[in-house]
Amino acid sequence: MLISERPDGARAVPDLSDMRRFMPMVLPTRTGATLFFHLPVEVGATQRWLASPEAEGTTFFHVFCAAVARTLHERPQLNRYVLGGRVFQREGVEVSFAVKKGFRDEAALTMVKVALSPEDGLADVRRKVDAAILIGRGADRTTVEHELAVLNRLPMFVTRALVALAARL
């Protein structure tokens, strides 16, 4: 697969300005391109609704995931990534998060990913997120756990070389 062909995104970003196209050259690392800002958000009404019986088990995390998905669907230019100095537009909206395997401090972590469509309402997001959490907490290994198990079986110098190569690419 060539770098211009990706399963999760398309390289052709027609509306990209010359400045945006050039920025990955000026800020080549994720750390250098990171921007932090403080944005207060009023969530009092949301917290009151979540405490009401009509929320039916919906948590603030469900609301947050739904808000992120809606934002990315309405503003697709926020759903882009840089690889090899080139800008790619993601094909869909997926939310990834860490899940503890159990309710203990020492419980293992795993990663799960939830695909969310523009038609998904809060109830749909809650159902999909809860299903992903159940899979993450289940006895079966997730895809990420399988991949990491393979990497962890390799000698450390090989793993470091692979990670360095992936970062370089």
Side-chain angles (χ1 to χ4, degrees):
M1 182 178 288
L2 300 173
I3 197 165
S4 61
E5 300 172 15
R6 299 265 314 159
D8 58 347
R11 183 169 168 222
V13 183
D15 60 340
L16 200 62
S17 70
D18 290 334
M19 177 61 103
R20 291 271 185 220
R21 200 174 306 280
F22 187 71
M23 287 178 87
M25 306 305 162
V26 178
L27 301 167
T29 66
R30 185 184 307 208
T31 305
T34 302
L35 173 69
F36 294 98
F37 64 96
H38 180 74
L39 178 66
V41 177
E42 174 55 45
V43 295
T46 303
Q47 289 175 320
R48 285 188 293 281
W49 179 79
L50 289 171
S52 74
E54 67 183 90
E56 299 180 48
T58 303
T59 67
F60 193 83
F61 185 66
H62 296 120
V63 173
F64 179 78
C65 289
V68 166
R70 178 170 290 180
T71 300
L72 292 175
H73 283 296
E74 290 180 4
R75 304 276 193 283
Q77 68 275 16
L78 294 174
N79 200 14
R80 294 177 176 165
Y81 62 97
V82 175
L83 180 66
R86 293 176 178 89
V87 179
F88 290 81
Q89 178 69 48
R90 290 192 194 281
E91 296 292 334
V93 170
E94 296 178 317
V95 178
S96 300
F97 51 92
V99 174
K100 287 275 241 182
K101 286 285 198 179
F103 293 103
R104 303 176 319 279
D105 289 342
E106 65 278 357
L109 278 177
T110 190
M111 295 295 294
V112 295
K113 188 182 289 189
V114 180
L116 299 171
S117 68
E119 298 81 27
D120 287 342
L122 184 56
D124 300 314
V125 171
R126 184 179 118 201
R127 182 181 43 77
K128 289 180 178 184
V129 166
D130 289 349
I133 290 171
L134 283 176
I135 290 169
R137 288 194 176 139
D140 294 339
R141 290 178 129 184
T142 64
T143 304
V144 171
E145 289 173 311
H146 283 293
E147 293 167 352
L148 291 175
V150 170
L151 286 174
N152 285 330
R153 279 190 229 115
L154 298 173
M156 186 63 72
F157 75 92
V158 173
T159 304
R160 284 192 176 135
L162 289 173
V163 170
L165 177 63
R168 184 82 175 131
L169 292 175

